[in-house]
Structure formats: structure tokens, C-alpha cells
Amino acid sequence: MEKRFVYADNSATTKISKPVLDAMMPYLTEGYGNASSIYSIGMDSARAILKARETVAKAIGAKTSEIYFTSGGSEADNWAIKCAADLGAQRGKKHIITTVFEHHAVLHTCEYLEKHGFEVTYVPVDEMGLVHVEDIEKAIRDDTCLVTVMFANNEIGTIQPIAEIGAVCREKKVLFHTDAVQAVGNVEIDVAKMNIDLLSMSGHKIHAPKGIGAMYMRTGVNLPNLIHGGAQERSKRAGTENVAGIVGLAKAIELCTANIPEKQARLSKMRDRIIAELLKIPESRLNGDPKRRLAGNVNISFRGIEGESLLLSLDLEGICASSGSACTSGSLDPSHVLLAIGLPHSTAHGSLRISLSDDNTEEDADYIIEKVPAIVSKLRAMSPLWERILRDEDIDAE
Ligand SMILES: *Cc1c(COP(=O)(O)O)cnc(C)c1O
């Protein structure tokens, strides 16, 4: 097959789509008015923000007044967790529940709170990467102020029983936050039906730009501010609005939620074909649940190789993907997500994540299916680890 460029790292970030860029362009050029100003180009910006807020709200079953724009998913996570903790502390409740395999925007925020007098329970996930509702329910105490569980995992794609967890939290009167950065546009979300109090989303995972996101905060929750300053976002989040980013986020969410079932069907077919073909490689395994997973997520471990080398070889062939191997992040430990589902270190190190989006084609899938097995064989031929696996040595023993 002729060399091509295949971008298959859409869980890391996505390309801005043409309609999103077109929607943003006026606000990056002539429509530069400050939305707080009373002259017409300011009012134009304010109107664009209002319209965007309506669009975002509608996409997740929220009210317009429940959407607050932020600088991205990380800020929304920080806001939800730190400020729910603040609110809890005011009532003597200083216990938080989360899971072991959240995004670092959640985990590191919880660790920060632990250093500031809060107690955090990290609920485990099973070997498929699913959180059990009973485990959440059992962890809830009288002093629990927040439960935060991600909607869909960014590495292995497992989709969590969010509505069930929401129901438990509502019954026990505990605030429930979900990091839905990977789920928005890929899974149907209805914050009211799912009893979600707080939800984080991000633009750059759904073909909008980096640096824009939003938080949904249910009416009546009334968290304190994370960012103090001007009166933007109804005095809840200061900072002159990123009008173009906000308009781009709304356009992206409108497009990606327009026909979720059809997109899921197309992408999951491609995903399952890639999974079936790559699992023909000896000593490979699928990470995460085969069915309850994001339509575009493939995560497979190949024993005896390093994810880093695999990524570099794929790059030479024009394929962008990702790995749970952690050398790039400056740590020797492999991904906390892969360890949380019980993978031995050696297996976690040889993992490959392929994340597909609307932009990917069947030809992209063909190309991935052709290139990956050849690269894995080549790397194994040079790997001392692979020799030991062939000799049946227990490489995780030491
Ligand atoms: C990307 C991501 C984030 C962070 O969002 P940013 O907009 O990059 O700050 C948070 N949570 C999950 C699950 C993500 O995938």
C-alpha cells in the first residue's frame, strides 16, 4: 500500500473541522468586540456567546443557564472538584470518592486536596476497566461531599454506568461530577436523566480548538468560583470570553451530537475490524471491555516490545497513535490505567492506543492493519525480552 498519513490519536486531540473554523473566523477577524461592551461589535460577541451556550446546553439535556465556558477540560475538572470540596468543607464534609483510573486532571486534583485535609477514596475498576456501582455506593459516607467518575476512559475507552452512579448519588444526596471529555459527541448524554450535577467537557477532543471547554453545573448546586476577577459567565468564571473558541466549541458539539448512533455504528465497525486483525498477532491482548467501549477506541498490548519504539516506527510509516508506555511522560511506570486493570508492567509497556474520529476512513484502517503486524514482528526480532518470552520465562517476576 502506498504511504499515507493516518491520524489515529483522536483521544489526544483532534483536527479543527472546516465548519468549526468557518464559524470561528468572523470572531478572530472583524468581530473582535469585548462581549461586555455596549457598542454593536461587543453586543454581537455577547449574542454569539448566548447562542453557543444554548447549543451546548441542548446537546447534553441541560438548561442554558447551567453552562459555563472554561479554558478546557482540565479547568472544568479543577473547578468541579476543588470547589465542591470547598462547599463540602463548609458543611464539615471532607471526603471525596473517585476511581483509580481517572484522567490526571482529576487524580492530581484529588491528590492536591488530600494534602489539604481532605480524604479521598479511590474505587478500583475491574479487569475490563468498569467501575461497579455497588463499590461507589459502599464508599459513600456521611461526610462524603463529592463523587467524581469519568464518563468514558481516555485510554481504554470503557464507558461507565454513569446513570446508575448518578441515581445512587442523588439518593444519598452527594454531589456527582463526571469528566465527560471523551464521551461528549461519542455517547448520548442527558444530564437531567442521568442525575449528573457537574460535568466537564473540552473542545479539542471534538474538532474544536485547544483552550476551550465548558462545565455544566446543575441549577441549585452553586459552587464557588475557581477563577476570580470580572463578572463574566454570570460572575462565576472571570476572564474576557474566548468568543471564537466558544463559538467553535458550540459548532463542534452541534455537529458531533447530530447523529451519534450512525457515527457509533460506522466507527465501531472500523474499530472491531482493526481489533480482530491486530489480535491475530501472537501474544497480543485487547485492553478494556470489547463492547462497552468508545466506538473509536482500540487498545491492544503486544508482549515483548516497548510502546515507545512502536510509536516511533509507526510515525515513520505516517501513522500517529499513542501508547500506555510512559517514557514520554518522564516516568518509568506504565499507564496507571493499564496497571489498574491488572496488566503486568511488561504487557502495559507494549500497548498501543488507536483512537478514531469522523475523519478516519476504511483506507486508514487498511493501512493500520497492514503496518502494525510488520512493525511488531520487526521490533520483536530485535527484542531480548521477546526471546525470553519465547523461552517461557516469567519476565514480570523480578
Ligand atoms: C483531554 C482530557 C482532559 C483534559 O482536557 P483539556 O481540555 O486538554 O484540559 C480531561 N479529561 C479527559 C478524560 C481527557 O481526555
Side-chain angles (χ1 to χ4, degrees):
M1 212 184 223
E2 218 170 286
K3 185 166 176 189
R4 43 194 295 139
F5 176 72
V6 175
Y7 185 76
D9 202 15
N10 290 281
S11 286
T13 196
T14 56
K15 182 181 178 178
I16 299 183
S17 73
K18 180 72 168 55
V20 166
L21 185 63
D22 288 345
M24 292 172 65
M25 241 9 218
Y27 302 98
L28 292 166
T29 51
E30 295 312 309
Y32 53 82
N34 187 318
S36 305
S37 307
I38 57 164
Y39 40 76
S40 33
I41 63 164
M43 301 285 273
D44 288 345
S45 293
R47 264 191 298 274
I49 293 171
L50 176 61
K51 187 160 160 278
R53 204 184 306 283
E54 286 167 1
T55 305
V56 172
K58 196 160 153 254
I60 59 166
K63 296 184 205 116
T64 306
S65 59
E66 295 173 323
I67 302 298
Y68 298 87
F69 294 109
T70 66
S71 66
S74 299
E75 185 192 319
D77 285 342
N78 271 263
W79 187 6
I81 298 167
K82 286 179 184 160
C83 298
D86 242 2
L87 210 57
Q90 288 168 26
R91 296 166 188 163
K93 297 182 172 200
K94 298 187 80 172
H95 175 239
I96 294 166
I97 298 168
T98 187
T99 77
V100 289
F101 82 153
E102 297 294 310
H103 189 273
H104 284 138
V106 168
L107 281 183
H108 290 167
T109 303
C110 287
E111 286 161 19
Y112 166 85
L113 288 171
E114 280 183 293
K115 289 195 195 108
H116 288 81
F118 288 83
E119 199 185 321
V120 181
T121 300
Y122 298 89
V123 169
V125 295
D126 67 18
E127 67 282 359
M128 287 295 174
L130 288 171
V131 177
H132 290 216
V133 184
E134 312 82 71
D135 291 341
I136 300 286
E137 189 163 14
K138 268 186 267 164
I140 295 178
R141 319 190 307 213
D142 287 342
D143 64 341
T144 306
C145 59
L146 176 73
V147 170
T148 171
V149 177
M150 71 198 316
F151 209 118
N153 185 270
N154 47 303
E155 289 188 40
I156 56 175
T158 43
I159 299 168
Q160 305 304 326
I162 292 301
E164 289 84 343
I165 297 172
V168 165
C169 293
R170 188 59 55 86
E171 191 204 313
K172 303 252 183 182
K173 297 188 168 61
V174 177
L175 282 183
F176 176 43
H177 166 251
T178 185
D179 174 338
V181 170
Q182 295 288 338
V184 168
N186 295 309
V187 184
E188 309 259 19
I189 298 177
D190 186 315
V191 288
K193 282 202 192 106
M194 295 175 157
N195 287 315
I196 297 166
D197 297 310
L198 300 157
L199 175 146
S200 308
M201 65 175 90
S202 172
H204 74 101
K205 307 284 172 77
I206 56 170
H207 305 280
K210 295 155 187 68
I212 185 70
M215 184 171 82
Y216 150 80
M217 172 158 60
R218 186 173 61 79
T219 308
V221 172
N222 214 4
L223 293 191
N225 288 31
L226 178 71
I227 310 280
H228 300 269
Q232 292 88 359
E233 297 296 289
R234 289 145 288 146
S235 296
K236 280 288 173 195
R237 195 277 185 188
T240 304
E241 298 89 340
N242 174 1
V243 186
I246 289 169
V247 168
L249 173 66
K251 190 58 171 179
I253 208 167
E254 178 190 324
L255 294 172
C256 73
T257 54
N259 200 341
I260 291 176
E262 190 186 303
K263 174 162 120 185
Q264 280 173 338
R266 189 180 82 82
L267 285 184
S268 58
K269 194 163 147 263
M270 207 188 302
R271 171 198 73 191
D272 291 342
R273 187 160 76 87
I274 296 172
I275 290 175
E277 290 299 323
L278 297 189
L279 285 181
K280 289 180 184 164
I281 297 173
E283 297 290 332
S284 60
R285 59 158 278 165
L286 176 69
N287 300 317
D289 194 283
K291 289 274 166 267
R292 284 198 67 149
R293 74 190 296 135
L294 291 171
N297 177 285
V298 175
N299 191 313
I300 295 184
S301 288
F302 305 103
R303 292 184 77 206
I305 61 170
E306 261 302 325
E308 295 284 292
S309 327
L310 181 55
L311 295 189
L312 293 175
S313 302
L314 285 169
D315 184 39
L316 291 176
E317 299 289 354
I319 299 172
C320 304
S322 154
S323 166
S325 170
C327 305
T328 38
S329 61
S331 137
L332 285 176
D333 288 330
S335 133
H336 67 290
V337 174
L338 297 177
L339 296 180
I341 59 169
L343 255 60
H345 275 243
S346 64
T347 311
H349 271 302
S351 76
L352 173 67
R353 180 187 73 183
I354 290 165
S355 44
L356 308 167
S357 83
D358 263 345
D359 289 345
N360 292 107
T361 61
E362 291 294 335
E363 288 71 35
D364 291 346
D366 292 340
Y367 191 69
I368 290 167
I369 289 165
E370 177 187 306
K371 294 299 173 189
V372 173
I375 293 170
V376 171
S377 298
K378 186 191 78 185
L379 294 174
R380 279 178 172 170
M382 304 185 296
S383 158
L385 211 54
W386 179 241
E387 268 177 44
R388 295 179 56 200
I389 291 168
L390 289 178
R391 285 201 299 270
D392 226 11
E393 288 177 29
D394 184 0
I395 53 171
D396 283 297
E398 64 258 29

